[in-house]
């Protein structure tokens, strides 16, 4: 099994930056890709960014240009850096691992952007 633990969320002012971390443990050899999703109150979950085991990246349209996903293979950790934060970025951010038998979700970390 794969376990994911997110960290780095918090309260930040609009225009600021934040870096979220997602540490993976367990059967990490089963991970094909890692994604970040977010869910704002009253809205459906949306893809923020993703990175494959080969290093290819993808970004959601709503954050493209403001977000960078990266990883530290030695630490089994994926990062999400968000710049020029806006109040509409307020959401719970989830780390997701694509594994052979499905998807594993972390518990989420709250990001709140004040105007």
């Amino acid at each position: 099994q794969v376990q994911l633990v997110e960290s780095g969320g918090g309260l930040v002012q609009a225009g600021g930056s934040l870096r979220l971390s997602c540490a993976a443990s367990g059967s990490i050899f089963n991970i094909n890709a890692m994604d970040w999703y977010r869910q704002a109150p009253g809205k459906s979950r949306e893809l923020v960014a993703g990175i494959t085991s080969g290093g290819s990246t993808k970004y959601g349209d709503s954050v493209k240009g403001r977000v960078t996903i990266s990883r530290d293979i030695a630490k089994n950790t994926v990062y999400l850096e968000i710049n020029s934060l806006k109040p509409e970025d307020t959401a719970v951010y989830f780390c997701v691992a694509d594994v052979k038998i499905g998807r594993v979700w972390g518990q989420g970390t709250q990001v709140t952007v004040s105007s």
Side-chain angles (χ1 to χ4, degrees):
Q1 291 185 344
V2 173
Q3 294 82 42
L4 304 172
V5 178
E6 301 104 328
S7 60
L11 176 64
V12 62
Q13 288 188 332
S17 298
L18 207 61
R19 189 176 82 158
L20 307 180
S21 301
C22 174
S25 61
S27 303
I28 59 173
F29 53 87
N30 284 325
I31 298 176
N32 297 313
M34 298 282 287
D35 298 324
W36 283 96
Y37 279 77
R38 69 183 183 184
Q39 186 166 23
K43 296 187 177 181
S44 57
R45 287 178 180 175
E46 65 170 341
L47 174 71
V48 180
I51 186 166
T52 69
S53 57
S56 298
T57 59
K58 60 182 178 181
Y59 296 97
D61 290 337
S62 62
V63 297
K64 200 170 291 184
R66 298 190 295 119
V67 169
T68 302
I69 188 169
S70 62
R71 63 182 179 177
D72 185 330
I73 294 176
K75 295 182 178 180
N76 299 323
T77 300
V78 173
Y79 304 98
L80 182 72
E81 183 168 350
I82 316 171
N83 300 309
S84 303
L85 280 158
K86 306 174 183 179
E88 50 264 44
D89 292 320
T90 295
V92 178
Y93 285 71
F94 297 91
C95 179
V96 184
D98 288 332
V99 297
K100 293 179 181 179
I101 59 171
R103 313 193 85 185
V104 177
W105 289 74
Q107 82 284 356
T109 185
Q110 175 71 46
V111 172
T112 303
V113 183
S114 63
S115 58

